[in-house]
Amino acid sequence: MKGDRKYILIFLFPMAAFMSIFLYYPFFKSLYLSFFRTKGFFDKKFVGFDNYKRLMSDDLLGAATLHTLEIMLYTVVFQVGIALILAVMVDNISKFQRFYRTVFFFPVVISGTAISLLFVLFYNYNFGLLNNILATLGLEKVLWLSESNALKAIAVPTVWHYVGFYFVLFLTAMAKIPNDYYEAAKLEGIRGFKKMTKLTIPLILSDIKVVITLAITGTMKVFEFVWVIARGQNNTEVLGTYMYKKALVDQNFGYGSTIAIYMVVLGVVLALVANRLLKSEEITY
Amino acid sequence: MKRPSLVLMSMLLIFSMFLAACGGTNEVKNDPKETPKAEEPKKEEPKKDVALRVFSTFGGTDTAREAFQAAIDEFTTKNPNVKVDNDTMSANDDGFRTKVNTDMSSGNEPDLLFYFAGVDAQGFVDAGKVVPMNDILDADAEWKAGFTPSALENTRQKDGNIYAIPLTGFYEGLFVNKKLFADNNLELPTDWEKMKKAVSTFAAKGIIPLAAPFDQSHYVVEHFILSAAGPESQAKGLADGVDPNWEKGYAAMKELYDLGAFPKDAATIDLGMASNYYGTGKAAMILEGSWAFGGFADAAVKDNTTVIPFPVVPGGVGSGNDIIGGFGSGFYLTKATFDNADKKDAAIALMKHLTSPATIQKIAVANGGTPAAKVEITGLAQAAMDGFAMAANSKSINNPVDSRIAPETFSALRAGVQQVVTGKKSPADALKEAKTIEDENKK
């Protein structure tokens, strides 16, 4: 044990170094910058808690937080929900399982920006696919990205993009359930929908919990869909795009960093809350 | 069992401190005087191999990309000992500004940098990252004589030095599709009444009158403010209070919006999509710059385009013949390269080659910009010639308003467009908000 410790440290060091350089260092640098008023890259001035005061009274930030939470709701309900339904269905078939697995997983490997561009062409008012279909049917064109609708329209590709990932996680979890459970259930005459609600889902509950936490923290990172499809306009600004605008478009790195810190805090709080709400005992097979 | 994790934690902590310390020394190292391998023993060798990195926006979809690469190839053929890395990034988004600023502030400067002059450059100019070119220009009378004096004047920084050597300039204006106007028996919008008539007529026919996005409304804001407030007031920016005339610009935007001037999806499209609407004949007008010709998809639209100054908005104090333009960018020689004896001469030679009248002519023909040298530009499309004529006959050529105010202030002005036209905010409130941000930035 004593001799092992050296090797443990040696093997952990590369990852620790990597994390320090690319995660902890930027984090502390952001924390440091959040106390400065910056003008571009060359000029900064210490302003104490001014940026945090601004954070408190920033209406746009409040709106961005609400939009982020709304997307979070859609992801938790639909992304996790659809992934679970698909997984249950695919788990119950014996043929073509691999085929479906590939098909459903496929969107995950496409870049988010590419998917966004695709949806720009779906939603465009003047020559988008959806409005072209409506026009051929002789119907009135719809402004898909209107003020009331834009965020929901963006939620569609956001949800679709990652459904496959959670689907695969669920499917793997289901594959771990020992077959005897199902055989016993079969003898008891439990099948179909009841089997799913009474057996499959309770047995993978800890995985569902993990997936929900992943979905919640993942939404904090939503950026490209909002940026490419609607540029954060029409009530679609989320925290990611707002931070980018402040830091890189406006070159106000101080305030941008403050928003980043706010996002970290919010993300941690939400993850903790989710963990607390979803508390369940571990199941061992 | 707790021990290893404790050791690991403390290692992490020490490591991050070490990194933070690194960051500190790096900043000190940015001092341009301290250049690596500066004073190596000089021998009487014929010519050393030199590698130069030139960063510019002549890449991607830029219309002058090939002409620029050809100019570099010409230089390397004549000087086989010099290798040039043509490092480019598209100017379509703000990403390249970030790239330039990080490079300049982290000790990764290119040898020659093609970038904006004015407030955009103020940061690295003040930090001493680039060299004033006055003496180098004076030392080579032939090179200096090649430029039109006004072009060189235009890139002068606040401190009175010229850092950026201009290549081609630009103009912005109202691009109109003459054919759509003729087909609908409309006159070109040379005054506000004609503009209003054109907007209502096109809107009724289902043609987008003015292809303009709300978010990337850079050119909209620039033109409406210039026309409402006139050249002098717009040049002052927001430093000493809000000129009430600026409000008239925003009020005029709302007037046009209410007549149906903007595309239905103006809120969510970007400039590329707006240009697409105009370039495919779906829109009758667009506010754009001289670089836009390359982006219009339909050749017929290009042929039917002419460029006119933006008309005076109601109550505006502009003359109706003021345009936005200038030589807003040029080549910088970085201090690190200037201090590097191995690179200095080659870099200056390359700079002279890239800004020679011959190169300037080729680039100007390719991108339709105003040449910074006294050269004849031939073979351009009629629309581009119209643009030159507009610039030549204009009463004043003004730097855009965003070169006068902080980037964050300009973002606030842009964000105000949608708020004002949809009636959520009054023009006065939108400008007051921008003024608050400008004051914050001045602190």
Side-chain angles (χ1 to χ4, degrees), chain A residues 41 147 231 234 250 252, chain B residues 101 215 408 411 418 424 441:
Chain A
F41 282 72
E147 283 189 46
R231 305 198 64 84
N234 274 358
D250 294 355
N252 189 346
Chain B
N101 281 311
D215 178 47
E408 201 177 357
S411 288
Q418 185 180 16
K424 282 186 192 134
N441 269 291

Side-chain angles (χ1 to χ4, degrees), chain A residues 29 32-33 35-47 253-254, chain B residues 27:
Chain A
K29 183 93 189 190
Y32 168 78
L33 275 177
F35 294 104
F36 287 87
R37 170 98 219 170
T38 55
K39 254 192 268 171
F41 282 72
F42 297 93
D43 192 13
K44 63 175 186 281
K45 213 177 118 209
F46 184 76
V47 291
F253 293 95
Chain B
E27 269 157 40

Side-chain angles (χ1 to χ4, degrees), chain B residues 64 73 104 187 201 246 292 361 422:
Chain B
D73 291 345
M104 294 302 275
E187 286 178 89
T201 314
W246 286 39
Q361 185 183 28
T422 53

